[in-house]
Amino acid sequence: MLDTQPDEGYTTADGRKIGGVAMEMKNITLRFGGVVAIKDISFDIRWGEVRAIIGPNGAGKSSMLNVISGFYNPQEGEIIYKGYRRPRMRPYQVARTGIARTFQNIALFEGMSVLDNIMTGRLNHMKANIFQQALWWGAAQREEEENREKVEKVIDFLEIQHIRKTPVARLPYGLKKRVELARALAAEPSILLLDEPMAGMNVEEKEDMCRFILDVNDEFGTTIVLIEHDMGVVMDLSDRVVVMDYGKKIGDGTPDEVRNNEEVIKAYLGVTDD
Amino acid sequence: MLYREAGDFKTSYTSDNQTFPIRFDRYGYYFVLGVAFLIMPLILNDYWTNALVVPFLIYTIAALGLNILIGYCGQLSLGTGGFMAVGAYASYKLMTGFPDLNIVFVILLSGLITAGVGVLFGLPSLRIKGFYLAVATLAAQFFLIWLFTRTPWFFNYSPTGMISAPTRTIFGVPVTGASASAVSMYMVCLVFLVALAWLARNLTRGTLGRQWMAIRDMDIAAEIIGVNPLWSKLTAFAVSSFYIGIAGALLFTVYLGAAEAGEAFGIDKSFLVLFMVIIGGLGSIFGAFAGAFFLIAGPVLLKIMLVDNLGWPTDLAAHLEIMIIGALIIVTLILEPHGIAALWRTIKEKLRLWPFPY
Ligand SMILES: Nc1ncnc2c1ncn2[C@@H]1O[C@H](COP(=O)(O)OP(=O)(O)OP(=O)(O)O)[C@@H](O)[C@H]1O
Ligand SMILES: [Mg+2]
């Protein structure tokens, strides 16, 4: 029995096909001791859309992604994913349901090469047991090669061929962000969560990143949830926007609707328009 | 002879991914294997076998094991001596309990038993990290030694409290006990080492190895991309203890012949193997070899030089040895945290570009 009613989705004004509801957040409340990071927030994410979450610093945006990826368990509320109520899960179990993410502060494996970092992203697709791996035999060897091919596609897609074998620790900031995206993409997720993928980048790097995000959405149909401070980027990229302030949802809709929402203008756009 | 990749194009991901991507390295590796298997048995004498070669082979196995745990999975352990004791006592109980069991199986089973014990003592790693985990494994070290010295069942109620290895043969050739020849001891240890090094290489370059390293580098991010921390840490403890148990079993059955837990497998052994891993290079298979060689051969060569050639008193030479090793560890930690292996890599990188570094 499904926990929600299926629906068909719709087509946007500029002709993009948006699917039914992929994930529904219902009355989520998350507290850290006395601090209420998320207050009774509900919203949904549809298949194939780019869903942005915006809000001033400390609004609770990252906490929201952490709830989705299972890193925090909310005290109240529930998550409906693919039609079913999601039970409490550890983050690695959430990852196996097809959710991948990047972090606000880069979280790459610094001691490994770019290639190994991205290959790690594919671990949910690798099933060889420990004995096959030890003997480098059968499934182990075959999987390694098949997955390497997939990884090479991601490497080509993000144009990082030249740093394939470089230890991650040696890369500049902008490239690290890109490698982190590559690692998340390698998992071939159904939903990709991006926490400020463009923070700290220069204009050119931002443009590249925008292009990659749109291409991922277009070519693979990946649903994307994006946190971003740059309003221009948000307006360009996203289909729908959730606005948060002090842990509360103060707006939800298309970029145009949100831009003209009184409360949003007062709380966010008016104050920190950059 | 040019050392480089040019003209050595990779046409598949398999060949790009092999252990020795450069042809020169590959030949070097075959050469070393050839010498080890064909030439060494002809030239080894008893002195060098006992003083240097066999301990080197056995401790390399232990260092490989500890390197998997510390260098690849980032879990600090000071219980190596205790786990070697588990391997040794397991092999003793198996040899005396099942006299017909082939020694190869005895040693493998001892490794498996140690793996089980390792998993047990690895369980706290799910909750505690770094320094606190080190203390927990230190407690394991003392507990295990206490257990083996205080429980007569483990040494078959022998009045001395010692365990001693009976003679066992492989293809009719004695490899343990007093009648084992230097060459047979050498060959047994060599075969185990080569096989285990190959397995370690495979494990560390595949998806399990990447999961270990992910846990080492950033456990939270690892879990969020799908690494099960429980599974990765416990497999690291299991594989690591398997190696260390085999090293302990070989040390007792093949090399020492007789042992007492506190003396043969004390805390000093835990540190010896730890230093091998640090000096050789954390997270490197080659590093285990380099570190073990350095810490086994160093003292032997120093003693030959100072005591036998220069006529220094033995205790003075021993003090100097301790000082040199201590200084080396500090220098390694400061200058090259990835040890001899990293030094070697840097040299190779330079060599690959030589003579035109730009
Ligand atoms: N682990 C934690 N323990 C205690 N408080 C936390 C924790 N994580 C977040 N918070 C608090 O929750 C609130 C929301 O934080 P969050 O990181 O989600 O904000 P954000 O919207 O992502 O801000 P930014 O734009 O600065 O990234 C903040 O007040 C923060 O201090
Ligand atoms: Mg944030």
Side-chain angles (χ1 to χ4, degrees), chain B residues 75-102:
Chain B
Q75 309 297 306
L76 190 51
S77 164
L78 295 174
T80 313
F83 291 125
M84 288 174 81
V86 174
Y89 279 76
S91 64
Y92 175 67
K93 290 303 286 185
L94 287 167
M95 282 169 105
T96 51
F98 307 92
D100 294 331
L101 191 61
N102 187 288

PDB file of all heavy atoms in Angstrom, chain B residues 75-102:
ATOM      1  N   GLN B  75      42.703   2.897  11.877  1.00  0.00           N
ATOM      2  CA  GLN B  75      42.373   2.503  13.247  1.00  0.00           C
ATOM      3  C   GLN B  75      43.654   2.130  13.978  1.00  0.00           C
ATOM      4  O   GLN B  75      44.298   1.144  13.644  1.00  0.00           O
ATOM      5  CB  GLN B  75      41.410   1.298  13.243  1.00  0.00           C
ATOM      6  CG  GLN B  75      40.196   1.472  12.360  1.00  0.00           C
ATOM      7  CD  GLN B  75      39.325   2.619  12.821  1.00  0.00           C
ATOM      8  OE1 GLN B  75      38.912   2.684  13.965  1.00  0.00           O
ATOM      9  NE2 GLN B  75      39.059   3.563  11.926  1.00  0.00           N
ATOM     10  N   LEU B  76      44.020   2.911  14.969  1.00  0.00           N
ATOM     11  CA  LEU B  76      45.275   2.701  15.678  1.00  0.00           C
ATOM     12  C   LEU B  76      45.171   1.480  16.594  1.00  0.00           C
ATOM     13  O   LEU B  76      44.191   1.313  17.297  1.00  0.00           O
ATOM     14  CB  LEU B  76      45.600   3.948  16.504  1.00  0.00           C
ATOM     15  CG  LEU B  76      46.987   3.994  17.133  1.00  0.00           C
ATOM     16  CD1 LEU B  76      48.055   3.707  16.092  1.00  0.00           C
ATOM     17  CD2 LEU B  76      47.223   5.347  17.768  1.00  0.00           C
ATOM     18  N   SER B  77      46.195   0.619  16.549  1.00  0.00           N
ATOM     19  CA  SER B  77      46.195  -0.543  17.437  1.00  0.00           C
ATOM     20  C   SER B  77      47.556  -0.731  18.084  1.00  0.00           C
ATOM     21  O   SER B  77      48.590  -0.645  17.431  1.00  0.00           O
ATOM     22  CB  SER B  77      45.831  -1.809  16.652  1.00  0.00           C
ATOM     23  OG  SER B  77      46.186  -2.952  17.409  1.00  0.00           O
ATOM     24  N   LEU B  78      47.548  -0.999  19.377  1.00  0.00           N
ATOM     25  CA  LEU B  78      48.783  -1.324  20.091  1.00  0.00           C
ATOM     26  C   LEU B  78      48.740  -2.759  20.588  1.00  0.00           C
ATOM     27  O   LEU B  78      49.495  -3.145  21.459  1.00  0.00           O
ATOM     28  CB  LEU B  78      48.974  -0.366  21.274  1.00  0.00           C
ATOM     29  CG  LEU B  78      49.189   1.100  20.907  1.00  0.00           C
ATOM     30  CD1 LEU B  78      49.224   1.966  22.149  1.00  0.00           C
ATOM     31  CD2 LEU B  78      50.484   1.258  20.124  1.00  0.00           C
ATOM     32  N   GLY B  79      47.854  -3.560  20.009  1.00  0.00           N
ATOM     33  CA  GLY B  79      47.689  -4.925  20.491  1.00  0.00           C
ATOM     34  C   GLY B  79      48.387  -5.968  19.639  1.00  0.00           C
ATOM     35  O   GLY B  79      48.131  -7.168  19.791  1.00  0.00           O
ATOM     36  N   THR B  80      49.289  -5.546  18.742  1.00  0.00           N
ATOM     37  CA  THR B  80      49.893  -6.483  17.799  1.00  0.00           C
ATOM     38  C   THR B  80      50.551  -7.678  18.485  1.00  0.00           C
ATOM     39  O   THR B  80      50.371  -8.825  18.065  1.00  0.00           O
ATOM     40  CB  THR B  80      50.931  -5.758  16.927  1.00  0.00           C
ATOM     41  OG1 THR B  80      50.343  -4.542  16.467  1.00  0.00           O
ATOM     42  CG2 THR B  80      51.342  -6.612  15.751  1.00  0.00           C
ATOM     43  N   GLY B  81      51.324  -7.397  19.553  1.00  0.00           N
ATOM     44  CA  GLY B  81      51.992  -8.486  20.260  1.00  0.00           C
ATOM     45  C   GLY B  81      50.982  -9.510  20.776  1.00  0.00           C
ATOM     46  O   GLY B  81      51.155 -10.717  20.612  1.00  0.00           O
ATOM     47  N   GLY B  82      49.919  -9.023  21.359  1.00  0.00           N
ATOM     48  CA  GLY B  82      48.880  -9.910  21.881  1.00  0.00           C
ATOM     49  C   GLY B  82      48.244 -10.748  20.789  1.00  0.00           C
ATOM     50  O   GLY B  82      47.992 -11.944  20.967  1.00  0.00           O
ATOM     51  N   PHE B  83      48.008 -10.133  19.625  1.00  0.00           N
ATOM     52  CA  PHE B  83      47.397 -10.890  18.527  1.00  0.00           C
ATOM     53  C   PHE B  83      48.377 -11.909  17.942  1.00  0.00           C
ATOM     54  O   PHE B  83      47.981 -12.992  17.522  1.00  0.00           O
ATOM     55  CB  PHE B  83      46.870  -9.950  17.443  1.00  0.00           C
ATOM     56  CG  PHE B  83      45.686  -9.144  17.906  1.00  0.00           C
ATOM     57  CD1 PHE B  83      45.677  -7.766  17.837  1.00  0.00           C
ATOM     58  CD2 PHE B  83      44.582  -9.785  18.439  1.00  0.00           C
ATOM     59  CE1 PHE B  83      44.597  -7.033  18.290  1.00  0.00           C
ATOM     60  CE2 PHE B  83      43.491  -9.067  18.900  1.00  0.00           C
ATOM     61  CZ  PHE B  83      43.498  -7.684  18.822  1.00  0.00           C
ATOM     62  N   MET B  84      49.668 -11.558  17.936  1.00  0.00           N
ATOM     63  CA  MET B  84      50.654 -12.554  17.513  1.00  0.00           C
ATOM     64  C   MET B  84      50.641 -13.731  18.481  1.00  0.00           C
ATOM     65  O   MET B  84      50.749 -14.894  18.087  1.00  0.00           O
ATOM     66  CB  MET B  84      52.056 -11.938  17.445  1.00  0.00           C
ATOM     67  CG  MET B  84      52.235 -10.988  16.261  1.00  0.00           C
ATOM     68  SD  MET B  84      53.826 -10.138  16.280  1.00  0.00           S
ATOM     69  CE  MET B  84      54.885 -11.397  15.586  1.00  0.00           C
ATOM     70  N   ALA B  85      50.477 -13.423  19.765  1.00  0.00           N
ATOM     71  CA  ALA B  85      50.401 -14.498  20.762  1.00  0.00           C
ATOM     72  C   ALA B  85      49.191 -15.391  20.498  1.00  0.00           C
ATOM     73  O   ALA B  85      49.281 -16.616  20.620  1.00  0.00           O
ATOM     74  CB  ALA B  85      50.337 -13.894  22.160  1.00  0.00           C
ATOM     75  N   VAL B  86      48.067 -14.781  20.113  1.00  0.00           N
ATOM     76  CA  VAL B  86      46.891 -15.597  19.790  1.00  0.00           C
ATOM     77  C   VAL B  86      47.228 -16.573  18.669  1.00  0.00           C
ATOM     78  O   VAL B  86      46.937 -17.771  18.751  1.00  0.00           O
ATOM     79  CB  VAL B  86      45.690 -14.709  19.380  1.00  0.00           C
ATOM     80  CG1 VAL B  86      44.535 -15.573  18.898  1.00  0.00           C
ATOM     81  CG2 VAL B  86      45.253 -13.828  20.537  1.00  0.00           C
ATOM     82  N   GLY B  87      47.903 -16.078  17.632  1.00  0.00           N
ATOM     83  CA  GLY B  87      48.302 -16.948  16.524  1.00  0.00           C
ATOM     84  C   GLY B  87      49.218 -18.063  17.000  1.00  0.00           C
ATOM     85  O   GLY B  87      49.055 -19.233  16.632  1.00  0.00           O
ATOM     86  N   ALA B  88      50.180 -17.703  17.834  1.00  0.00           N
ATOM     87  CA  ALA B  88      51.157 -18.685  18.307  1.00  0.00           C
ATOM     88  C   ALA B  88      50.483 -19.764  19.159  1.00  0.00           C
ATOM     89  O   ALA B  88      50.680 -20.965  18.936  1.00  0.00           O
ATOM     90  CB  ALA B  88      52.241 -17.975  19.114  1.00  0.00           C
ATOM     91  N   TYR B  89      49.674 -19.324  20.123  1.00  0.00           N
ATOM     92  CA  TYR B  89      49.029 -20.300  21.010  1.00  0.00           C
ATOM     93  C   TYR B  89      47.983 -21.122  20.260  1.00  0.00           C
ATOM     94  O   TYR B  89      47.794 -22.302  20.553  1.00  0.00           O
ATOM     95  CB  TYR B  89      48.448 -19.603  22.247  1.00  0.00           C
ATOM     96  CG  TYR B  89      49.518 -19.337  23.276  1.00  0.00           C
ATOM     97  CD1 TYR B  89      50.418 -18.298  23.101  1.00  0.00           C
ATOM     98  CD2 TYR B  89      49.670 -20.153  24.386  1.00  0.00           C
ATOM     99  CE1 TYR B  89      51.432 -18.058  24.009  1.00  0.00           C
ATOM    100  CE2 TYR B  89      50.686 -19.925  25.313  1.00  0.00           C
ATOM    101  CZ  TYR B  89      51.563 -18.878  25.120  1.00  0.00           C
ATOM    102  OH  TYR B  89      52.573 -18.669  26.021  1.00  0.00           O
ATOM    103  N   ALA B  90      47.312 -20.493  19.303  1.00  0.00           N
ATOM    104  CA  ALA B  90      46.358 -21.262  18.502  1.00  0.00           C
ATOM    105  C   ALA B  90      47.095 -22.352  17.745  1.00  0.00           C
ATOM    106  O   ALA B  90      46.657 -23.517  17.699  1.00  0.00           O
ATOM    107  CB  ALA B  90      45.620 -20.337  17.536  1.00  0.00           C
ATOM    108  N   SER B  91      48.246 -22.018  17.163  1.00  0.00           N
ATOM    109  CA  SER B  91      48.975 -23.028  16.392  1.00  0.00           C
ATOM    110  C   SER B  91      49.483 -24.135  17.328  1.00  0.00           C
ATOM    111  O   SER B  91      49.476 -25.310  16.971  1.00  0.00           O
ATOM    112  CB  SER B  91      50.130 -22.395  15.614  1.00  0.00           C
ATOM    113  OG  SER B  91      51.080 -21.860  16.501  1.00  0.00           O
ATOM    114  N   TYR B  92      49.867 -23.730  18.536  1.00  0.00           N
ATOM    115  CA  TYR B  92      50.343 -24.744  19.494  1.00  0.00           C
ATOM    116  C   TYR B  92      49.218 -25.716  19.851  1.00  0.00           C
ATOM    117  O   TYR B  92      49.392 -26.941  19.821  1.00  0.00           O
ATOM    118  CB  TYR B  92      50.878 -24.052  20.746  1.00  0.00           C
ATOM    119  CG  TYR B  92      51.287 -25.005  21.842  1.00  0.00           C
ATOM    120  CD1 TYR B  92      52.377 -25.855  21.673  1.00  0.00           C
ATOM    121  CD2 TYR B  92      50.588 -25.057  23.045  1.00  0.00           C
ATOM    122  CE1 TYR B  92      52.755 -26.736  22.665  1.00  0.00           C
ATOM    123  CE2 TYR B  92      50.956 -25.932  24.061  1.00  0.00           C
ATOM    124  CZ  TYR B  92      52.046 -26.773  23.863  1.00  0.00           C
ATOM    125  OH  TYR B  92      52.420 -27.643  24.850  1.00  0.00           O
ATOM    126  N   LYS B  93      48.055 -25.148  20.177  1.00  0.00           N
ATOM    127  CA  LYS B  93      46.932 -26.017  20.544  1.00  0.00           C
ATOM    128  C   LYS B  93      46.516 -26.907  19.371  1.00  0.00           C
ATOM    129  O   LYS B  93      46.183 -28.080  19.550  1.00  0.00           O
ATOM    130  CB  LYS B  93      45.733 -25.176  21.008  1.00  0.00           C
ATOM    131  CG  LYS B  93      45.907 -24.473  22.332  1.00  0.00           C
ATOM    132  CD  LYS B  93      46.243 -25.409  23.483  1.00  0.00           C
ATOM    133  CE  LYS B  93      45.069 -26.250  23.955  1.00  0.00           C
ATOM    134  NZ  LYS B  93      45.434 -27.047  25.161  1.00  0.00           N
ATOM    135  N   LEU B  94      46.556 -26.359  18.174  1.00  0.00           N
ATOM    136  CA  LEU B  94      46.172 -27.148  16.994  1.00  0.00           C
ATOM    137  C   LEU B  94      47.182 -28.255  16.730  1.00  0.00           C
ATOM    138  O   LEU B  94      46.827 -29.394  16.415  1.00  0.00           O
ATOM    139  CB  LEU B  94      46.045 -26.252  15.764  1.00  0.00           C
ATOM    140  CG  LEU B  94      44.818 -25.333  15.736  1.00  0.00           C
ATOM    141  CD1 LEU B  94      44.955 -24.283  14.646  1.00  0.00           C
ATOM    142  CD2 LEU B  94      43.551 -26.155  15.526  1.00  0.00           C
ATOM    143  N   MET B  95      48.470 -27.913  16.849  1.00  0.00           N
ATOM    144  CA  MET B  95      49.508 -28.919  16.578  1.00  0.00           C
ATOM    145  C   MET B  95      49.442 -30.055  17.588  1.00  0.00           C
ATOM    146  O   MET B  95      49.592 -31.225  17.238  1.00  0.00           O
ATOM    147  CB  MET B  95      50.906 -28.281  16.643  1.00  0.00           C
ATOM    148  CG  MET B  95      51.283 -27.474  15.420  1.00  0.00           C
ATOM    149  SD  MET B  95      52.775 -26.539  15.759  1.00  0.00           S
ATOM    150  CE  MET B  95      53.975 -27.478  14.834  1.00  0.00           C
ATOM    151  N   THR B  96      49.239 -29.712  18.864  1.00  0.00           N
ATOM    152  CA  THR B  96      49.222 -30.761  19.877  1.00  0.00           C
ATOM    153  C   THR B  96      47.873 -31.483  19.915  1.00  0.00           C
ATOM    154  O   THR B  96      47.820 -32.674  20.198  1.00  0.00           O
ATOM    155  CB  THR B  96      49.541 -30.177  21.269  1.00  0.00           C
ATOM    156  OG1 THR B  96      48.694 -29.055  21.494  1.00  0.00           O
ATOM    157  CG2 THR B  96      50.982 -29.735  21.347  1.00  0.00           C
ATOM    158  N   GLY B  97      46.810 -30.775  19.589  1.00  0.00           N
ATOM    159  CA  GLY B  97      45.489 -31.393  19.615  1.00  0.00           C
ATOM    160  C   GLY B  97      45.207 -32.253  18.394  1.00  0.00           C
ATOM    161  O   GLY B  97      44.507 -33.254  18.468  1.00  0.00           O
ATOM    162  N   PHE B  98      45.731 -31.833  17.256  1.00  0.00           N
ATOM    163  CA  PHE B  98      45.502 -32.568  15.999  1.00  0.00           C
ATOM    164  C   PHE B  98      46.834 -32.837  15.327  1.00  0.00           C
ATOM    165  O   PHE B  98      47.199 -32.174  14.361  1.00  0.00           O
ATOM    166  CB  PHE B  98      44.606 -31.767  15.053  1.00  0.00           C
ATOM    167  CG  PHE B  98      43.321 -31.313  15.678  1.00  0.00           C
ATOM    168  CD1 PHE B  98      43.232 -30.067  16.284  1.00  0.00           C
ATOM    169  CD2 PHE B  98      42.205 -32.140  15.659  1.00  0.00           C
ATOM    170  CE1 PHE B  98      42.048 -29.640  16.869  1.00  0.00           C
ATOM    171  CE2 PHE B  98      41.017 -31.717  16.247  1.00  0.00           C
ATOM    172  CZ  PHE B  98      40.937 -30.470  16.850  1.00  0.00           C
ATOM    173  N   PRO B  99      47.588 -33.841  15.828  1.00  0.00           N
ATOM    174  CA  PRO B  99      48.955 -34.075  15.335  1.00  0.00           C
ATOM    175  C   PRO B  99      49.007 -34.371  13.833  1.00  0.00           C
ATOM    176  O   PRO B  99      50.043 -34.167  13.202  1.00  0.00           O
ATOM    177  CB  PRO B  99      49.410 -35.294  16.138  1.00  0.00           C
ATOM    178  CG  PRO B  99      48.485 -35.376  17.294  1.00  0.00           C
ATOM    179  CD  PRO B  99      47.189 -34.785  16.866  1.00  0.00           C
ATOM    180  N   ASP B 100      47.893 -34.838  13.261  1.00  0.00           N
ATOM    181  CA  ASP B 100      47.927 -35.197  11.847  1.00  0.00           C
ATOM    182  C   ASP B 100      47.641 -34.018  10.920  1.00  0.00           C
ATOM    183  O   ASP B 100      47.788 -34.128   9.706  1.00  0.00           O
ATOM    184  CB  ASP B 100      46.903 -36.302  11.558  1.00  0.00           C
ATOM    185  CG  ASP B 100      47.290 -37.590  12.261  1.00  0.00           C
ATOM    186  OD1 ASP B 100      48.518 -37.799  12.456  1.00  0.00           O
ATOM    187  OD2 ASP B 100      46.384 -38.360  12.626  1.00  0.00           O
ATOM    188  N   LEU B 101      47.205 -32.923  11.502  1.00  0.00           N
ATOM    189  CA  LEU B 101      46.851 -31.768  10.679  1.00  0.00           C
ATOM    190  C   LEU B 101      48.112 -31.157  10.074  1.00  0.00           C
ATOM    191  O   LEU B 101      49.088 -30.891  10.779  1.00  0.00           O
ATOM    192  CB  LEU B 101      46.130 -30.730  11.558  1.00  0.00           C
ATOM    193  CG  LEU B 101      45.447 -29.579  10.838  1.00  0.00           C
ATOM    194  CD1 LEU B 101      44.359 -30.103   9.909  1.00  0.00           C
ATOM    195  CD2 LEU B 101      44.845 -28.615  11.857  1.00  0.00           C
ATOM    196  N   ASN B 102      48.079 -30.965   8.770  1.00  0.00           N
ATOM    197  CA  ASN B 102      49.243 -30.393   8.084  1.00  0.00           C
ATOM    198  C   ASN B 102      49.558 -29.002   8.629  1.00  0.00           C
ATOM    199  O   ASN B 102      48.668 -28.214   8.923  1.00  0.00           O
ATOM    200  CB  ASN B 102      48.951 -30.323   6.586  1.00  0.00           C
ATOM    201  CG  ASN B 102      50.176 -29.890   5.800  1.00  0.00           C
ATOM    202  OD1 ASN B 102      50.578 -28.737   5.860  1.00  0.00           O
ATOM    203  ND2 ASN B 102      50.782 -30.827   5.094  1.00  0.00           N
TER     204      ASN B 102
END
